[in-house]
Amino acid sequence: MILSALVYPEYYGLPLPITAVAVYTSAIASVIIFLVALRGKVKPYGVGIWGFLLSLLRGYRRWPGYIYDIALHRRLLRTRGRHGVGHALMIYGLILSFIGTMLVALNQYLGIIFGYRPYSGQLFLDYSFVMDLTSWILFVGSAVGALSLLSRLKNYRLNEAASYLIYLLGFMFLSVSGAVIEDYRVYALGLTGYLGYFPNAELLGRISLSTQAYVAIYYLHFLTAFALIAIMPYTEVAHSYLNLLNYSTRERASGELSKPFDLKSVMQSGNYEVKVGLKSYKDLDWAGALNPQACVGCNRCEEVCPATAAGRELSPTRLALKLKRGISSLSDDLFQTISEEEIWGCTTCGACMHACPVYVRHVDYIVDFRRSLTFGMKLDSKKSGLLMNLNQYGNSVGIQNQGRNAWITNEFGVPRASESSGFKYLLWVGCMNSFDERAKGSVRSFLELLKDSGELGEYAILGDEETDCGDPARRLGEESLFQNFALNNIELFKKYNVKNIVVMCPHGYNTFKNEYKDIDKWMEGVNVYHYAEIIDRLVKEGRVSVEKTNEAVTIHDPCYLARHNSVVNPQRELINAAARLVEPERHGRDTFCCGAGGANYWYEVNEKSRISHIRAKQLYDTGAGKAITLCPFCNAMLNDASTVALNGKLEVIDIASYLAMSRKKGSDIIGQPK
Amino acid sequence: MYVALNILVFLKAIPEDVKEDPRTHGPTVEGVKLKMDDISRNAVEEAIRLKEKHGGRATGITFGSDAATLVMKEALAMGLDEGVLIKGYAGNNPSLTASVLAERVSRMQWDLLMFGFSSADSYTAQVPPMVSYMLKRPLIGNAVSLRVEGKTVKGVSSYEDYNVAYEAEMPAVISVAQEINTPRIPTLLQIMAASKKPLSVEQAQAQSARTLQVLGHTFPMSQRKRIIFEDTNKGVEEVAAVLRQVLGK
């Protein structure tokens, strides 16, 4: 047979009109069933099919990022990579099959309309070869998927496991039946001269198949494919489009929490009857109700979760599955399956959200649950104590606020904003740094560095006017108190015409940078810096010279700096300039929490080991004797952990203090006590 | 069987902290924000719990000044139904306070009259027994648990080394100990919303009670060693060494 005469044999051996009608009718039926099913699934949450599809379309700016994620399978390969490979093969197999199907369709239309059949000759041979490989890719991917499914079978109810299995077996059937159909055609058409392009046909040899059996397999093949599309909304495989919804509707930064009401408008209207918190599925907007329904229980979030690692009751995977089941069964009381212990176990470190391949926002739900507990006045004495301190003293440590930063003015001459004749940077010292002796050392070191650089004169502090940033209140679920702090602080920032804020704590940094602009748009014009970014600039500009030693030093990245705000380079540049950096396995955006975040610093939950001890051990195991922190809370947690669990063998030092000690001219440092 | 209760609960607004007066170097509470007295908070909590269990009403009463309004709002936010602010408080004077309160409640219907056993600012613990005496109603003092059955109230009073279980016919006066419960904390929004609950403000009836005169305030004298430990890492060892030396061990 000559090459140019080779054309893809569409409907080979089948009567054309009947088969075409059968194929297209079932194709259209599958799409209609899919849409009707989808409508039924999303309707209880108050959205129609068009609203749903439009939201996907409206998020088009995010698609490139989404496609990039899916193409590389980044999140699936980073954690539980072996399982991820199976999924990647499956997806690639499906994409290649889809291209093959499109080629066939195109071939048919162009043939009918223009008499031109592009899927012929060499292209036909080449893509046939690709499709032969594809059937293997899809088969192996599905088989690996089935094994992964078995390995975490305990996550699923019977119907859930069955629905995954239907797809996995379905894909395997499509691979095999496709190969059999091709085999039949290759030999029937006498293409044996090109067997090199049809490796599966060569491998299988000539299968003796009756015409009826061939027809039956052909019909089963395409009916299976269409059925798998049609039933998708009823199955766990709905995650394949819900993940796109989650990605498209992701508007907040990961460190930014939702705003259930606007305190200022509430106060102005005098209508205090606002809905806060989460108890029933009805408390969620439709995108929020669908978000956790994308969860497939893959365990990736659980694997990176510090709460799970410490043996707390919380597992983000179990939580997401409970949310998914509770919401999809339209539960009015999600607390029936989700306990308070789980809700308070979270440090809001965000590791789960960053690991999730379907973009579930676990922390949003946890904080919403906390809001309903806090607004239901169901807090234990420690959590209540934090709120009382914040209310009464205006700071999280419960010490009289008056005179909190007088020492900074006394020792370094940094003026209060109210007395300054003009300043470039407002230094937000923070609660811990204002009162805690050890943390004060970091502030002193930072001010020493500023003094050396000659930039100290550009700074001012708020002094007694500094209160709390609001982060602990918000993460404890006391939204109104958070917004009250934010409104007061923004008022002060405006009063002093603040343009740049340097924050000595990642929690304030995150909330000023990401959350305050949602309280008042004015904040969009304010630059927020973490002090490590400032030191990094000073070193780069040569205003502070650092002496490099060969000392092995590791970095503990704070969640609210590295993960939630992607600030990972300044600290590395600084440590590389001053010492020899040794990274722990969990570092940068993949860092492991110190255990203090999400207001955990102020209360206790049941656990088998302490998160801070686990982290201190990880840092100690790098072989570096010193760990650099960039947060007063991390510093306190890891210091205690080192003392209690490591006999003090890990020295925990704030980055400013370390840099102050690494300065070239070796001046006396008032910094952190050694 | 639960009978709806009519509960009156007294709460006190006290200074958040004591400052040093820059002129006299003595203690002062001038210009210090007010907060709800810690043990009043337990009394309010217990009143709300009893109301939630038995039905009825719980009314907060405070003897103070306008500055106590916010504290009363907080108690309303916790769950009291209404508040009464009696103005005219002019410093610590238990017998005056007791007679003002006794006079006020003698004009009201109530089953339980609840207090914190003592306020965290003056610590006299005198007001509840005085009110009990003036109204000729029984007192269950320093209660660590309470139960209402029909027309009687049963309570356990805590003493230093032992507890005593009491039973009293209502109306009765109760003072609660801090251990009785963990008070709920309302959110700021709920405190704001409590502005919509009824709060009546009135002036105290002039009382000619024998009054106690406050002559002055001083900080307690103490002979301090004035040793400052600066190195937080060695702190415990250094402190231990000094203690050993002082104790002669």
Side-chain angles (χ1 to χ4, degrees):
Chain A
M1 192 178 278
I2 51 165
L3 188 58
S4 58
L6 273 181
V7 177
Y8 176 75
E10 180 63 42
Y11 306 135
Y12 173 74
L14 299 152
L16 174 75
I18 299 170
T19 319
V21 167
V23 169
Y24 282 93
T25 311
S26 43
I28 292 165
S30 77
V31 173
I32 291 172
I33 295 170
F34 172 87
L35 290 174
V36 170
L38 180 60
R39 189 181 65 174
K41 280 286 169 187
V42 300
K43 209 175 159 195
Y45 313 115
V47 64
I49 192 77
W50 297 118
F52 180 89
L53 294 176
L54 271 175
S55 281
L56 293 184
L57 289 175
R58 256 189 243 118
Y60 70 92
R61 277 193 216 90
R62 294 171 201 276
W63 290 3
Y66 173 79
I67 291 167
Y68 176 75
D69 255 19
I70 298 301
L72 294 185
H73 260 54
R74 274 192 323 153
R75 293 189 171 206
L76 284 105
L77 296 174
R78 201 165 51 201
T79 342
R80 297 179 74 88
R82 261 185 308 156
H83 300 231
V85 168
H87 193 274
L89 290 176
M90 212 160 59
I91 296 300
Y92 296 153
L94 289 171
I95 291 171
L96 290 170
S97 307
F98 182 73
I99 295 172
T101 311
M102 285 300 110
L103 266 176
V104 168
L106 203 67
N107 199 48
Q108 195 183 3
Y109 308 142
L110 292 176
I112 291 168
I113 303 167
F114 302 109
Y116 165 60
R117 293 176 185 276
Y119 194 27
S120 58
Q122 193 61 42
L123 175 67
F124 165 56
L125 288 178
D126 288 345
Y127 207 79
S128 292
F129 181 76
V130 172
M131 286 300 281
D132 272 38
L133 290 185
T134 299
S135 64
W136 281 100
I137 294 171
L138 187 58
F139 189 88
V140 172
S142 307
V144 173
L147 290 176
S148 333
L149 183 73
L150 288 176
S151 76
R152 44 171 212 272
L153 210 53
K154 66 170 174 47
N155 283 359
Y156 307 114
R157 293 179 176 167
L158 192 62
N159 62 325
E160 292 168 347
S163 89
Y164 291 115
L165 213 57
I166 286 171
Y167 277 83
L168 295 168
L169 293 175
F171 293 154
M172 287 155 98
F173 172 73
L174 288 178
S175 316
V176 174
S177 58
V180 169
I181 292 165
E182 186 196 65
D183 183 86
Y184 181 87
R185 289 174 177 184
V186 165
Y187 288 101
L189 285 167
L191 297 178
T192 42
Y194 298 103
L195 271 182
Y197 292 101
F198 304 101
N200 288 348
E202 178 149 31
L203 203 69
L204 292 170
R206 182 172 202 147
I207 305 172
S208 64
L209 211 58
S210 67
T211 312
Q212 289 90 333
Y214 164 71
V215 172
I217 291 174
Y218 178 86
Y219 270 87
L220 267 178
H221 181 83
F222 79 78
L223 284 176
T224 301
F226 290 140
L228 291 180
I229 292 171
I231 62 168
M232 216 188 287
Y234 292 119
T235 69
E236 303 302 303
V237 180
H239 74 268
S240 57
Y241 55 85
L242 287 178
N243 74 341
L244 175 60
L245 174 79
N246 292 350
Y247 199 94
S248 310
T249 52
R250 239 176 13 155
E251 271 158 15
R252 276 176 287 117
S254 79
E256 183 191 347
L257 296 176
S258 69
K259 190 175 84 168
F261 58 85
D262 185 68
L263 186 66
K264 206 172 173 181
S265 335
V266 167
M267 288 194 288
Q268 279 161 1
S269 71
N271 176 22
Y272 299 104
E273 299 304 310
V274 291
K275 231 176 56 61
V276 195
L278 170 59
K279 184 170 184 272
S280 156
Y281 81 94
K282 288 180 193 141
D283 298 329
L284 295 161
D285 64 16
W286 69 267
L290 289 172
N291 179 293
Q293 299 197 45
C295 177
V296 294
C298 75
N299 282 347
R300 284 185 177 80
C301 53
E302 186 181 275
E303 212 137 286
V304 296
C305 175
T308 310
R312 296 183 174 190
E313 200 180 308
L314 172 67
S315 143
T317 308
R318 281 205 309 272
L319 180 92
L321 287 172
K322 286 181 196 174
L323 272 169
K324 171 187 187 165
R325 289 167 189 152
I327 297 168
S328 65
S329 63
L330 307 182
S331 162
D332 269 325
D333 187 6
L334 297 167
F335 282 105
Q336 274 178 353
T337 54
I338 296 166
S339 72
E340 291 188 21
E341 190 69 19
E342 280 176 276
I343 291 161
W344 295 116
C346 174
T347 67
T348 71
C349 79
C352 50
M353 303 196 291
H354 281 253
C356 181
V358 292
Y359 318 106
V360 171
R361 293 192 62 127
H362 311 68
V363 175
D364 279 5
Y365 299 89
I366 288 173
V367 171
D368 262 340
F369 280 127
R370 289 183 181 186
R371 284 170 178 162
S372 39
L373 294 172
T374 302
F375 277 79
M377 296 188 256
K378 288 177 186 154
L379 299 185
D380 64 21
S381 57
K382 289 219 163 154
K383 294 168 198 123
S384 298
L386 171 62
L387 288 186
M388 299 245 280
N389 283 342
L390 290 168
N391 259 315
Q392 286 172 18
Y393 299 98
N395 62 58
S396 59
V397 291
I399 299 177
Q400 208 174 61
N401 213 49
Q402 203 187 9
R404 65 186 270 170
N405 293 331
W407 58 279
I408 294 177
T409 308
N410 296 342
E411 290 174 34
F412 292 89
V414 180
R416 292 176 194 96
S418 54
E419 295 158 354
S420 164
S421 49
F423 57 90
K424 188 172 173 191
Y425 298 101
L426 180 77
L427 181 67
W428 181 276
V429 186
C431 294
M432 193 72 162
N433 288 320
S434 294
F435 297 104
D436 179 81
E437 278 310 317
R438 194 183 169 85
K440 279 179 178 177
S442 325
V443 182
R444 289 192 172 100
S445 299
F446 180 56
L447 295 170
E448 283 291 320
L449 291 169
L450 287 176
K451 202 162 140 190
D452 266 20
S453 73
E455 282 194 4
L456 188 60
E458 297 176 357
Y459 281 74
I461 55 170
L462 284 173
D464 284 1
E465 289 181 293
E466 183 177 305
T467 53
D468 193 87
C469 64
D471 162 276
R474 190 170 224 197
R475 273 139 195 92
L476 202 71
E478 220 299 36
E479 179 68 14
S480 44
L481 188 58
F482 159 72
Q483 289 195 29
N484 196 48
F485 276 123
L487 288 168
N488 289 335
N489 289 333
I490 295 169
E491 211 49 54
L492 277 175
F493 297 156
K494 282 181 179 171
K495 181 171 143 195
Y496 297 126
N497 195 22
V498 174
K499 291 272 174 284
N500 303 289
I501 306 175
V502 176
V503 194
M504 294 224 50
C505 169
H507 297 273
Y509 171 83
N510 174 71
T511 197
F512 292 152
K513 189 172 178 161
N514 298 317
E515 297 187 321
Y516 272 36
K517 60 178 161 44
D518 206 24
I519 305 297
D520 191 329
K521 275 207 166 347
W522 181 84
M523 282 298 290
E524 283 172 3
V526 177
N527 300 312
V528 183
Y529 301 97
H530 181 265
Y531 65 109
E533 295 177 297
I534 300 292
I535 306 175
D536 189 38
R537 179 177 58 76
L538 296 178
V539 171
K540 274 185 186 156
E541 289 175 0
R543 288 161 171 271
V544 168
S545 4
V546 177
E547 205 146 11
K548 189 173 168 74
T549 67
N550 199 33
E551 184 176 47
V553 169
T554 189
I555 296 174
H556 166 69
D557 289 291
C559 306
Y560 274 86
L561 188 70
R563 180 155 36 241
H564 288 309
N565 287 293
S566 303
V567 178
V568 293
N569 291 327
Q571 56 267 45
R572 288 182 166 69
E573 287 165 4
L574 286 173
I575 295 309
N576 275 322
R580 185 165 56 85
L581 174 61
V582 192
E583 295 277 20
E585 193 191 325
R586 297 279 299 268
H587 67 269
R589 297 183 76 214
D590 294 329
T591 189
F592 189 91
C593 184
C594 71
N600 272 244
Y601 187 76
W602 293 274
Y603 64 80
E604 312 261 328
V605 292
N606 293 322
E607 56 193 355
K608 293 197 176 76
S609 52
R610 289 184 169 272
I611 293 174
S612 58
H613 292 188
I614 298 172
R615 182 52 171 169
K617 180 81 174 34
Q618 291 173 359
L619 295 167
Y620 180 70
D621 286 346
T622 59
K626 287 182 178 168
I628 300 298
T629 58
L630 297 105
C631 167
F633 294 101
C634 297
N635 190 286
M637 296 299 282
L638 294 174
N639 243 307
D640 289 352
S642 171
T643 310
V644 176
L646 297 168
N647 278 323
K649 281 185 286 187
L650 181 73
E651 203 182 326
V652 181
I653 312 167
D654 173 78
I655 191 150
S657 300
Y658 192 77
L659 265 290
M661 289 187 279
S662 310
R663 278 177 303 174
K664 252 193 188 125
K665 57 173 197 173
S667 59
D668 280 348
I669 299 138
I670 316 171
Q672 196 150 327
K674 273 202 81 177
Chain B
M1 191 190 75
Y2 294 143
V3 183
L5 291 173
N6 199 347
I7 305 169
L8 303 183
V9 55
F10 289 111
L11 52 132
K12 190 173 179 186
I14 66 168
E16 218 164 58
D17 240 314
V18 177
K19 279 197 305 191
E20 187 181 308
D21 191 316
R23 288 169 292 125
T24 63
H25 295 289
T28 179
V29 293
E30 243 171 81
V32 176
K33 258 177 36 183
L34 296 183
K35 64 168 186 176
M36 195 190 305
D37 163 51
D38 305 75
I39 317 173
S40 291
R41 206 180 269 284
N42 297 93
V44 171
E45 174 66 32
E46 199 60 23
I48 295 167
R49 286 188 190 184
L50 286 171
K51 183 196 89 169
E52 284 171 350
K53 195 167 160 190
H54 296 269
R57 279 183 84 70
T59 304
I61 301 178
T62 191
F63 180 37
S65 63
D66 280 328
T69 310
L70 193 65
V71 168
M72 182 57 89
K73 275 188 191 159
E74 194 179 343
L76 292 172
M78 286 170 76
L80 296 183
D81 299 293
E82 60 180 306
V84 179
L85 167 61
I86 306 169
K87 294 207 292 191
Y89 180 82
N92 181 28
N93 192 341
S95 56
L96 177 68
T97 302
S99 59
V100 167
L101 296 181
E103 190 282 326
R104 183 66 182 84
V105 302
S106 63
R107 294 183 268 133
M108 298 169 89
Q109 287 287 320
W110 49 275
D111 300 304
L112 289 174
L113 199 54
M114 300 183 64
F115 293 87
F117 90 96
S118 167
S119 64
D121 58 342
S122 47
Y123 271 112
T124 67
Q126 290 175 19
V127 173
M130 283 180 173
V131 170
S132 154
Y133 174 77
M134 291 170 184
L135 297 172
K136 311 263 181 291
R137 293 309 309 166
L139 168 76
I140 299 179
N142 206 36
V144 289
S145 76
L146 275 183
R147 215 167 70 232
V148 171
E149 282 173 16
K151 288 307 281 175
T152 60
V153 54
K154 295 181 175 183
V156 175
S157 292
S158 164
Y159 297 89
E160 289 255 311
D161 303 324
Y162 56 92
N163 292 343
V164 180
Y166 288 113
E167 180 180 306
E169 282 287 303
M170 294 195 290
V173 180
I174 310 284
S175 79
V176 305
Q178 203 155 16
E179 301 91 295
I180 195 166
N181 55 40
T182 304
R184 66 195 74 188
I185 304 296
T187 63
L188 192 64
L189 192 71
Q190 288 163 328
I191 296 173
M192 290 174 178
S195 307
K196 305 220 156 164
K197 287 193 174 179
L199 170 61
S200 63
V201 182
E202 57 194 64
Q203 198 63 41
Q205 300 289 319
Q207 296 293 325
S208 55
R210 282 188 301 276
T211 53
L212 189 69
Q213 293 294 321
V214 176
L215 299 179
H217 298 99
T218 50
F219 281 118
M221 293 290 285
S222 67
Q223 291 294 319
R224 297 201 171 164
K225 297 264 177 209
R226 298 196 181 277
I227 304 169
I228 295 167
F229 302 95
E230 282 183 334
D231 191 335
T232 46
N233 280 351
K234 290 187 196 145
V236 175
E237 288 159 37
E238 285 182 7
V239 172
V242 170
L243 286 177
R244 246 184 244 119
Q245 198 190 342
V246 172
L247 297 170
K249 284 181 184 171

